[in-house]
Amino acid sequence: MDYSNTKCLAAYFSRKDKNYVNGSIVNLSVGNTEEAAAMIQELSRCDMFHIDTTESYPVDYTETTEVAQRELRNNVRPELNSHVEDMDSYDVIFLGYPNWWGTMPMAVFTFLEEYDFSGKTIMPFCTHEGSGMGHSESDIIDLCPNANVQKGLSIRGSSVKEAKNDILRWL
Ligand SMILES: Cc1cc2nc3c(=O)[nH]c(=O)nc-3n(C[C@H](O)[C@H](O)[C@H](O)COP(=O)(O)O)c2cc1C
């Protein structure tokens, strides 16, 4: 699809710092999902929005998995530190996130509940270490029943730098 006449936004959550990649812990200076979002931006010329929480997640990987699991179990809505001013003006939202415990980080739930996505197209993309999209797509449909939710793109986090052709095909 040609996005030149479409107002589109890549809204993504991504966590840098210590992460699990191909069986070992590495320190990422840019998160995997952010890398994918940057490629989408380059290819579609969309606007960008970083879904970020007021309270940061731990640098340590295992500690983050524990915090994230608690948030999922308790159905928490972490507070976000910034907001999209003119969401009404966008037709297409590329929605990016890492797979956390089989779905999106709870901050993405906060984001999806904050705006009215009726009539908009949501294109989910997810980076992961083996679980693909998990059940994130059906969670998005539940949260945004009046949006047109397209089939998502899952990208192995450890291969994100080689994902440009897959992203291009998906776009
Ligand atoms: C809290 C947490 C939970 C995760 N849970 C899963 C999971 O259930 N399945 C999976 O394949 N990968 C899981 N991962 C790995 C991430 O999805 C993967 O490393 C992703 O590319 C990270 O993206 P980011 O750097 O943009 O945050 C998890 C990582 C974290 C930090």
Side-chain angles (χ1 to χ4, degrees):
M1 183 178 163
D2 175 9
Y3 290 96
S4 47
N5 292 319
T6 309
K7 188 116 194 281
C8 48
L9 176 72
Y12 66 94
F13 177 97
S14 186
R15 179 185 153 272
K16 55 186 169 71
D17 302 326
K18 297 215 167 107
N19 206 341
Y20 182 79
V21 178
N22 270 340
S24 45
I25 301 291
V26 295
N27 203 26
L28 300 175
S29 56
V30 178
N32 294 327
T33 313
E34 183 163 351
E35 298 254 16
M39 289 180 205
I40 290 170
Q41 199 281 327
E42 191 190 325
L43 294 167
S44 72
R45 301 277 156 215
C46 61
D47 293 342
M48 296 281 263
F49 178 74
H50 184 188
I51 302 170
D52 199 10
T53 49
T54 309
E55 205 170 316
S56 303
Y57 287 90
V59 169
D60 182 74
Y61 169 76
T62 308
E63 280 176 35
T64 299
T65 62
E66 289 163 1
V67 173
Q69 192 175 44
R70 264 199 309 279
E71 288 182 347
L72 177 64
R73 280 202 186 129
N74 297 327
N75 203 20
V76 167
R77 297 292 184 269
E79 186 182 276
L80 305 184
N81 65 10
S82 62
H83 308 276
V84 179
E85 276 185 12
D86 53 348
M87 184 60 92
D88 283 355
S89 68
Y90 292 102
D91 309 305
V92 175
I93 316 295
F94 304 113
L95 180 69
Y97 46 87
N99 184 323
W100 277 15
W101 294 108
T103 188
M104 314 169 276
M106 298 317 283
V108 182
F109 285 66
T110 310
F111 175 80
L112 290 176
E113 285 176 352
E114 187 173 334
Y115 307 95
D116 181 7
F117 291 96
S118 301
K120 298 186 191 300
T121 297
I122 298 181
M123 295 185 57
F125 63 100
C126 170
T127 72
H128 65 97
E129 268 312 300
S131 314
M133 306 292 294
H135 50 86
S136 61
E137 288 163 297
S138 57
D139 289 342
I140 295 169
I141 292 168
D142 287 347
L143 290 163
C144 309
N146 298 318
N148 166 20
V149 182
Q150 297 283 310
K151 182 152 178 39
L153 173 71
S154 67
I155 301 167
R156 188 123 194 165
S158 41
S159 312
V160 69
K161 290 194 166 65
E162 291 91 60
K164 208 171 200 174
N165 281 338
D166 289 344
I167 290 175
L168 191 56
R169 266 195 299 276
W170 173 73
L171 286 174

